[in-house]
Amino acid sequence: MFLTEPKLYPGPVEKDDDDDGDYYQFLYFARSCALLAIIMHFVFISFTFVHRDHALWQRNPFTNRIWAITCLLLLLLHGVICSLQLILEDFMSQVPKLLLALVILFGGSLLSMIVSELAKFQENKVNARYQRRARLDFGTKLGMNSPF
């Protein structure tokens, strides 16, 4: 690989020949947790895209059963994979550190959902104003003297 032996430094380079098995186990688990973070982020963002013209409190996104089943299966499948990896690879001593990361992950996903919902609210407000303007813009005196 091109990253194992740097060519820019003329001095002697010490190679690390010992393969640390724990390093690769932690790396694999970190990748799995990062994938869980991406999946949770996309699921939380997709909450706001189910009913594009309505807010979350106006229409329940779980009325779209295909979306709900897909998101549930994705989260369950990856949650089972992460928990099996935690149990089988004996990472139980790392659970307190993992809980803090999961709380931060859940909070960040929730925050991104709120921001997306606020952006959707602003977009719906602009769209409603544009629709009112289009109704009144018909070339008569009422249309020319409209408050828009």
Side-chain angles (χ1 to χ4, degrees):
M1 268 182 91
F2 67 96
L3 292 177
T4 56
E5 297 181 32
K7 306 272 187 215
L8 298 176
Y9 302 111
V13 176
E14 294 181 21
K15 284 189 170 182
D16 188 19
D17 288 333
D18 62 328
D19 288 332
D20 191 14
D22 289 339
Y23 172 76
Y24 291 111
Q25 285 178 344
F26 283 121
L27 182 65
Y28 185 66
F29 188 67
R31 285 180 184 166
S32 183
C33 288
L35 184 60
L36 178 65
I38 291 170
I39 289 173
M40 278 186 68
H41 177 75
F42 284 149
V43 165
F44 272 79
I45 288 291
S46 71
F47 268 105
T48 60
F49 295 141
V50 175
H51 298 294
R52 189 70 190 145
D53 295 332
H54 301 283
L56 281 176
W57 55 88
Q58 291 173 339
R59 283 219 180 144
N60 188 2
F62 292 105
T63 57
N64 187 344
R65 292 187 184 186
I66 295 173
W67 170 83
I69 290 170
T70 303
C71 289
L72 181 70
L73 286 178
L74 276 172
L75 288 174
L76 278 177
L77 179 70
H78 201 72
V80 165
I81 289 171
C82 282
S83 61
L84 281 176
Q85 190 176 11
L86 238 165
I87 293 169
L88 294 177
E89 298 294 330
D90 199 26
F91 283 122
M92 292 311 244
S93 63
Q94 303 296 325
V95 169
K97 295 176 188 175
L98 183 63
L99 287 178
L100 178 63
L102 286 176
V103 166
I104 291 171
L105 162 71
F106 185 75
S109 297
L110 192 63
L111 181 66
S112 65
M113 183 184 72
I114 291 170
V115 168
S116 180
E117 186 67 24
L118 288 174
K120 184 174 79 171
F121 176 72
Q122 179 68 23
E123 182 182 329
N124 288 341
K125 196 166 82 171
V126 168
N127 192 22
R129 194 174 94 199
Y130 176 74
Q131 290 292 329
R132 281 188 305 221
R133 182 181 296 160
R135 269 190 234 127
L136 289 175
D137 190 22
F138 49 84
T140 63
K141 189 166 184 140
L142 176 65
M144 288 186 286
N145 293 328
S146 69
F148 297 105

